[in-house]
Amino acid sequence: GSPCTVSSCYRPGDKRLHGQGAAIDLRLPSRYGCSHETDSNVANELRFNLPEDYDVVLELEPQHQPAHPSWGPHIHVEFDPK
């Protein structure tokens, strides 16, 4: 397996799915010395293994939020029933 850390989940006041407790962000395995290919492989494994009501997005562009300056590229997972 690859190292995986939840870096964000429920965020009170967030107007999107994090604020509803329906999304998490995972720190990319490459932050622990794994290859960027591993990042993509982990995202694909999550897509394959989670039910279809979950979306998995590999967000590679740094997300700058003044309240959270350490946010960066991550895997975003959300429960979003169709």
Side-chain angles (χ1 to χ4, degrees):
S2 299
C4 195
T5 301
V6 174
S7 58
S8 181
C9 51
Y10 175 66
R11 296 194 299 248
D14 188 314
K15 295 182 182 2
R16 298 165 68 185
L17 290 174
H18 282 284
Q20 298 170 30
I24 63 169
D25 294 331
L26 304 172
R27 188 166 293 134
L28 296 177
S30 58
R31 301 260 316 256
Y32 300 100
C34 296
S35 70
H36 290 290
E37 182 180 0
T38 302
D39 298 339
S40 182
N41 290 343
V42 168
N44 287 333
E45 284 291 321
L46 287 168
R47 287 184 194 107
F48 180 77
N49 288 294
L50 288 173
E52 65 182 37
D53 286 338
Y54 287 84
D55 296 326
V56 177
V57 180
L58 181 56
E59 296 187 351
L60 296 176
E61 293 299 317
Q63 305 290 315
H64 177 70
Q65 301 286 334
H68 304 281
S70 64
W71 282 2
H74 61 280
I75 298 171
H76 174 83
V77 182
E78 63 185 33
F79 179 68
D80 189 19
K82 291 10 177 207

